[in-house]
Amino acid sequence: MCAMVSQDYSSHESMRSASGFGVPGVGMTAFQTAADRSLLDLLVAAAERALEDGGLDSDDIDSVHVGNMAAEAFNDVSGLANALAAGLGTDRVSARRIENTSASGASAFHDAVDAVRSGRSDVALAVGGEKMSAADTATATDIISRITHGAEYQQGITLPSFAGLAANRYLSQYGADRRDLARVAVKNHSNAAANPYAQFDKRITIDDVLDSPKVATPLRLYDCCPTSDGAAAIIVAADDIGDVTVEACESAVGVHAVADRSDPLRIESVRAAGQSAYDAAGIGPDDVDVACIHDAFTILEWLEMEELDLAERGEAWKYTRDGRTDIDGELAVNPGGGLKARGHPLGATGISQLVELVWQLRSDVPDERSTGSPGYGLAVNVAGFGNNSVCTIMEAS
């Protein structure tokens, strides 16, 4: 347990009851630079692994929820939810695809939780995936750039440029140095090196980060997540089965155009979703033991930690420097390598974060990447540069 930020969350506990839904099974494919399987094959593989992990058959599933951002643009395919249901050999289930840019995965899980919460499903399967390698670099860059506000896209502003501007301001405003930011990438690559599902198994140094090609000053290549192929799946059930329960899954939007935000270092959608999740789970940030943070760029790890009150405003960089976010630290952040090194197949990322939390909470990982015996885990999956966020809290049962 980490004692991060002293803020009273207890007054909100009566607003919503905790979900307490069971997570009987999870599964994912290895994240790769270029997979030799189709997007549908990746989705089916991840789903079958989750079913096997939970000791379930496809006939046990009441609803299928697929998270995917851009199958039409990347792969010239649509109708993924129906195709997945057919691929699993199940029928008479409800099936739908959820698109929420880079938060499509967690949004599909949110939809699955809502299906169980409402009583429409007893057992819901959420699967997220993306096969980004099917497009060339220029095409992929354009697809991802369209996540931004239309006016920003027309002006040629990209997500890396937003991240570079935020990183430059954060370093100058709070006294962190460039080597501190590089430590985020070093930490997450080290965690990924012990994760067989991660895209990168290479450990790097601070100098490696600082010597890598410039992307958006002060950010360099090793500060940025890669394009990836892969899929991940998770099952949520009305019964309290399995060793992990879902205590909250909440989402919120923020100001869409980054230029309209009062402070470029604030990501209000993360703060709002996190506050709602704390309220629903009846806990506070000091109860969180392990966190999967949407680190599409290294600076986002710090900004999101601070919005979630896992660190004081302007202080997250000190947690990284002092090793408090290491895998054996008081708050393990991105023990699977994060987006930075595990990879970032857009529709799969949010669910892969939850898969990692489940593995950590049920101590189903090798000792070298174990965070100990965590009680609560938190994940936040972000759309664009904070246009929308989904925050989930799970508990070891």
Side-chain angles (χ1 to χ4, degrees), residues 171-323:
L171 295 178
S172 63
Q173 184 166 322
Y174 294 123
D177 66 37
R178 186 60 187 82
R179 297 180 68 83
D180 291 317
L181 189 58
R183 287 184 174 90
V184 175
V186 171
K187 169 182 68 72
N188 291 345
H189 269 263
S190 178
N191 293 346
N195 181 1
Y197 292 88
Q199 186 168 345
F200 297 131
D201 60 2
K202 176 185 176 182
R203 298 177 189 273
I204 59 175
T205 66
I206 291 175
D207 287 339
D208 289 332
V209 178
L210 300 183
D211 291 340
S212 64
K214 292 180 180 179
V215 174
T217 304
L219 300 184
R220 293 179 175 264
L221 183 64
Y222 277 142
D223 288 292
C224 308
C225 68
T227 57
S228 315
D229 295 349
I234 184 169
I235 300 168
V236 57
D239 294 331
D240 183 5
I241 56 177
D243 298 322
V244 175
T245 57
V246 181
E247 296 302 314
C249 184
E250 303 293 331
S251 67
V253 298
V255 176
H256 188 38
V258 177
D260 289 341
R261 299 176 189 177
S262 59
D263 184 342
L265 298 183
R266 300 299 303 270
I267 307 178
E268 292 296 344
S269 65
V270 172
R271 172 159 291 273
Q275 177 71 71
S276 294
Y278 290 137
D279 292 347
I283 69 167
D286 57 318
D287 296 302
V288 177
D289 302 298
V290 55
C292 290
I293 303 295
H294 189 104
D295 62 326
F297 307 97
T298 48
I299 187 61
L300 287 179
E301 184 165 303
W302 291 348
L303 297 183
E304 292 165 28
M305 283 177 61
E306 293 175 10
E307 292 295 0
L308 293 165
D309 286 336
L310 297 172
E312 298 281 0
R313 182 73 54 192
E315 299 285 312
W317 64 273
K318 296 179 182 178
Y319 291 63
T320 301
R321 176 187 281 186
D322 296 343

Side-chain angles (χ1 to χ4, degrees), residues 46-63:
E48 289 179 339
R49 291 175 186 180
L51 289 167
E52 181 180 3
D53 184 54
L56 299 171
D57 296 321
S58 58
D59 290 342
D60 296 317
I61 301 298
D62 300 310
S63 60

Side-chain angles (χ1 to χ4, degrees), residues 27-185:
M28 62 183 288
T29 69
F31 286 2
Q32 300 173 287
T33 300
D36 58 3
R37 291 176 285 183
S38 70
L39 173 58
L40 178 59
D41 287 342
L42 292 169
L43 294 170
V44 169
E48 289 179 339
R49 291 175 186 180
L51 289 167
E52 181 180 3
D53 184 54
L56 299 171
D57 296 321
S58 58
D59 290 342
D60 296 317
I61 301 298
D62 300 310
S63 60
V64 175
H65 312 256
V66 176
N68 171 266
M69 175 181 141
E72 291 83 4
F74 282 120
N75 315 113
D76 294 321
V77 298
S78 58
L80 285 175
N82 300 327
L84 175 58
L88 294 173
T90 185
D91 55 15
R92 295 183 296 278
V93 298
S94 67
R96 54 187 167 272
R97 171 184 164 191
I98 309 298
E99 186 279 313
N100 187 15
T101 69
S102 48
S104 295
S107 297
F109 178 71
H110 188 283
D111 197 58
V113 170
D114 281 349
V116 173
R117 186 173 7 226
S118 69
R120 295 194 308 272
S121 296
D122 289 327
V123 181
L125 169 67
V127 189
E130 211 82 47
K131 185 176 172 67
M132 303 171 71
S133 67
D136 59 46
T137 301
T139 301
T141 299
D142 186 64
I143 292 169
I144 296 168
S145 295
R146 292 179 184 275
I147 292 174
T148 61
H149 187 278
E152 293 168 336
Y153 172 79
Q154 292 297 326
Q155 294 298 320
I157 299 174
T158 64
L159 294 178
S161 66
F162 283 136
L165 289 167
N168 186 63
R169 179 158 180 168
Y170 188 99
L171 295 178
S172 63
Q173 184 166 322
Y174 294 123
D177 66 37
R178 186 60 187 82
R179 297 180 68 83
D180 291 317
L181 189 58
R183 287 184 174 90
V184 175

